[in-house]
């Protein structure tokens, strides 16, 4: 056994002794209290049939992309799906990522630059925090849904400012005061980024005006 294997085994043993070793499971539960499948899409036989029927009509649909989208893995069906998503959100365009984690890391890390400022709610997703760490921007967090603390951070922010929040926070299910936060962002010329992972399809937010 080499040193690398000894190190890995010692760490695994340490986790086992502390009761912190986690293992994958293939168990299924009759009632789901832990996933993000709020609307039951993952278990819907109707949706599965609809997907299969749609794919039968997609020209040259393969079992995989065979490469990155920039080189050989792009498909017209993907672009049409992105356009459909953009239309649903009344946006100019859409971009599909492999996962929500990739989307958050990719978005934040590509926007903010050194000298800019990212101000985030203290309870945002870890993926957003990871993206912010890659930017070398100034980073502040404000107390959860606390407008006073947010404004205090906005007053000392430099460069291009990004405020990062969630509309619905997954752990407690509470809502962000979106109108008030947006007003502060407009006042301090900050860009507002809202993670909708736990709100889409579950909560409808309309413009009262």
């Amino acid at each position: 056994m080499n040193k690398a294997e000894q190190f890995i085994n010692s760490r695994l043993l340490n986790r086992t002794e502390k009761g912190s070793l986690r293992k994958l499971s293939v168990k299924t539960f009759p009632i789901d209290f832990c996933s993000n499948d709020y609307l039951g899409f993952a278990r819907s036989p109707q949706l599965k049939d609809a997907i299969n029927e749609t794919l039968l009509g997609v020209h040259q649909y393969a079992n995989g992309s065979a490469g990155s989208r920039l080189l050989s893995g792009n498909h017209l069906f993907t672009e049409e799906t992105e356009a459909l998503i953009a239309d649903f959100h009344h946006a100019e365009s859409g971009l599909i990522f492999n996962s929500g984690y990739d989307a958050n890391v990719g978005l934040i890390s590509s926007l903010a630059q050194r000298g800019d400022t990212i101000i985030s709610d203290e309870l945002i997703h870890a993926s957003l925090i990871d993206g912010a760490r890659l930017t070398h921007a100034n980073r502040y967090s404000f107390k959860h849904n606390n407008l006073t603390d947010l404004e205090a951070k906005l007053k000392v922010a430099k460069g291009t400012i990004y405020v990062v929040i969630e509309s619905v926070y997954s752990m407690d299910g509470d809502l962000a005061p979106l109108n008030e936060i947006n007003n502060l962002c407009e006042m301090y010329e900050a860009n507002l980024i809202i993670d909708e992972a736990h709100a889409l399809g579950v909560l409808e937010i309309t413009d009262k005006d």
Side-chain angles (χ1 to χ4, degrees):
M1 185 181 297
N2 58 40
K3 290 184 178 180
E5 291 174 328
Q6 290 177 352
F7 171 76
I8 293 172
N9 286 334
S10 66
R11 294 300 297 271
L12 290 174
L13 178 61
N14 181 262
R15 283 178 174 267
T16 301
E17 291 174 344
K18 291 183 177 180
S20 60
L21 182 65
R22 303 178 65 183
K23 297 182 179 180
L24 295 175
S25 173
V26 293
K27 293 181 180 178
T28 57
F29 302 95
I31 301 177
D32 183 0
F33 286 114
C34 61
S35 81
N36 298 331
D37 187 28
Y38 305 135
L39 302 179
F41 286 162
R43 303 186 184 190
S44 170
Q46 293 86 358
L47 181 59
K48 185 176 182 179
D49 290 342
I51 291 172
N52 290 334
E53 183 177 349
T54 299
L55 293 180
L56 289 174
V58 178
H59 180 61
Q60 293 182 339
Y61 180 81
N63 293 326
S65 63
S68 70
R69 290 184 66 184
L70 285 174
L71 298 178
S72 62
N74 196 30
H75 196 285
L76 179 60
F77 180 60
T78 306
E79 295 188 355
E80 291 175 344
T81 304
E82 289 174 335
L84 180 67
I85 292 171
D87 182 65
F88 177 85
H89 289 284
H90 306 289
E92 293 183 8
S93 60
L95 181 62
I96 295 176
F97 283 79
N98 295 333
S99 69
Y101 182 91
D102 289 329
N104 282 343
V105 170
L107 174 67
I108 302 299
S109 65
S110 63
L111 285 179
Q113 304 296 313
R114 191 184 300 274
D116 293 338
T117 302
I118 299 173
I119 306 173
S120 58
D121 189 287
E122 62 182 353
L123 297 186
I124 59 170
H125 284 122
S127 52
L128 292 166
I129 297 173
D130 288 347
R133 287 172 175 165
L134 295 173
T135 65
H136 301 293
N138 304 303
R139 293 186 288 118
Y140 301 102
S141 65
F142 64 95
K143 296 176 182 177
H144 180 51
N145 281 345
N146 189 311
L147 298 173
T148 301
D149 195 30
L150 170 58
E151 185 170 16
K153 301 301 191 301
L154 284 167
K155 288 180 178 179
V156 299
K158 300 178 181 179
T160 302
I161 308 170
Y162 300 92
V163 174
V164 185
I165 63 172
E166 297 179 31
S167 53
V168 178
Y169 289 85
S170 59
M171 299 306 292
D172 299 313
D174 50 345
L175 310 180
L178 294 179
N179 288 331
E180 291 82 355
I181 290 177
N182 184 62
N183 290 339
L184 281 175
C185 287
E186 290 182 349
M187 183 185 304
Y188 289 92
E189 299 183 344
N191 301 281
L192 178 59
I193 298 175
I194 306 174
D195 186 327
E196 290 271 74
H198 300 284
L200 182 61
V202 177
L203 179 68
E204 181 180 7
I205 298 176
T206 58
D207 188 348
K208 294 182 179 180
D209 296 334

